[in-house]
Amino acid sequence: MTEIKLAVLDMDGTLLNSQDHVTDKTRSAIHEASRKGVDVMIATGRSLPAAQDHAKALGLNEYIITGNGSEIWLFPGPELVDRRPLNTDLVEMMWELKHTYKARHWAASTSKVWKREMPDNIASEEWLKFGYDLDDYQVREAILQELSRYDGLEISNSHPLNIEVNASGVHKANAIEHVLKRKKLDIAQVMACGDSLNDIKMIQRAGAGVAMGNAQDEVKEHADFVTGTNDEDGIVQAFKQYGVIS
């Protein structure tokens, strides 16, 4: 197998344990990987403000992929490298669906993350992602069916009972490819670790695709290796499996 030069880690359910922390063992493994010349990069559905504190605490001097690939940042700085916005008309459609199905929502624009509210003029913002938090699988399926009628959407999740929507073609795998061109690396040199549907494409494309033990079953089906859970330092096990650390 090609030597791993870049480890790409999802955050929630992967890098972070169920208490939203990076364990000391995982932190040590990341530092060891860096000392051995393996770059470590975060790829998350979260926005930059929700991700950069963890990157800073880990001492990462790398790119950060946020919003499922809607933005790429060079960290520290941060410096914006790439941005892929979501069509405003589609955001307005999804906002109407939220009311139709009485769903909870969140939406990320370039200015902030909106929860339980939206601006009076949706078109006044540049949008990156729209999401639904649901309590019922039937409602989730109904919303997914409605969304399937529209072109221009990339649909995934970060939990079995949510829906995350980006612009078509915006996902972590494409963002990683963008970074690889800048770093002059090949996708075969990448290990990608994740747990949810928004991680599947990067797990499929990476030279080493790793699903966490707590991952959704569909994610595990696409992985080269299933490691321990995020509460069992699964990242450490994956690093050892692929020779990133000893």
Side-chain angles (χ1 to χ4, degrees):
M1 180 187 151
T2 305
E3 183 181 7
I4 299 301
K5 289 293 186 181
L6 176 66
V8 183
L9 309 178
D10 168 53
M11 279 182 55
D12 295 282
T14 302
L15 174 63
L16 305 179
N17 65 13
S18 55
Q19 282 74 52
D20 205 38
H21 294 144
V22 180
T23 68
D24 289 341
K25 190 177 289 188
T26 294
R27 186 186 311 275
S28 294
I30 289 171
H31 291 164
E32 182 180 345
S34 296
R35 288 195 300 272
K36 292 187 174 182
V38 178
D39 293 331
V40 178
M41 182 172 78
I42 289 171
T44 179
R46 296 193 192 194
S47 61
L48 182 68
Q52 64 183 359
D53 287 348
H54 289 290
K56 190 179 297 183
L58 288 168
L60 300 184
N61 295 302
E62 250 312 327
Y63 294 90
I64 301 179
I65 293 168
T66 60
N68 289 340
S70 59
E71 291 183 326
I72 302 171
W73 298 87
L74 185 57
F75 190 83
E79 175 190 338
L80 181 65
V81 172
D82 189 53
R83 175 175 284 158
R84 303 296 171 101
L86 185 56
N87 183 288
T88 302
D89 290 342
L90 294 173
V91 174
E92 290 176 340
M93 174 274 294
M94 289 186 282
W95 176 237
E96 291 174 7
L97 279 183
K98 170 254 193 314
H99 293 292
T100 301
Y101 289 95
K102 298 178 173 60
R104 297 184 304 279
H105 91 292
W106 79 97
S109 71
T110 55
S111 67
K112 64 179 283 188
V113 176
W114 301 78
K115 297 179 179 179
R116 297 181 297 277
E117 61 172 348
M118 288 290 273
D120 292 335
N121 180 9
I122 288 176
S124 67
E125 295 280 334
E126 186 174 22
W127 297 96
L128 301 171
K129 188 173 75 163
F130 194 97
Y132 299 96
D133 272 323
L134 305 161
D135 300 312
D136 186 293
Y137 284 102
Q138 288 186 326
V139 173
R140 182 176 183 274
E141 288 305 312
I143 293 175
L144 285 173
Q145 188 169 3
E146 294 267 15
L147 294 176
S148 70
R149 296 167 45 214
Y150 294 87
D151 295 326
L153 300 178
E154 189 78 33
I155 301 170
S156 64
N157 76 17
S158 58
H159 183 276
L161 271 171
N162 78 16
I163 299 171
E164 298 197 352
V165 185
N166 292 90
S168 180
V170 172
H171 49 74
K172 294 179 182 181
N174 278 349
I176 290 168
E177 296 274 14
H178 187 109
V179 169
L180 292 177
K181 288 177 182 176
R182 296 172 68 96
K183 293 174 69 66
K184 295 180 172 54
L185 293 175
D186 188 87
I187 194 71
Q189 297 172 294
V190 174
M191 181 179 77
C193 303
D195 71 308
S196 296
L197 299 190
N198 61 355
D199 300 311
I200 281 183
K201 289 181 179 177
M202 73 172 184
I203 286 172
Q204 286 177 308
R205 288 194 200 173
V210 177
M212 302 300 291
N214 51 289
Q216 297 173 44
D217 288 342
E218 188 176 347
V219 180
K220 292 178 180 179
E221 291 170 6
H222 291 280
D224 300 305
F225 176 67
V226 178
T227 190
T229 70
N230 62 324
D231 287 325
E232 298 170 336
D233 292 299
I235 293 297
V236 180
Q237 296 173 40
F239 278 14
K240 290 180 177 179
Q241 173 73 17
Y242 288 101
V244 173
I245 63 172
S246 56

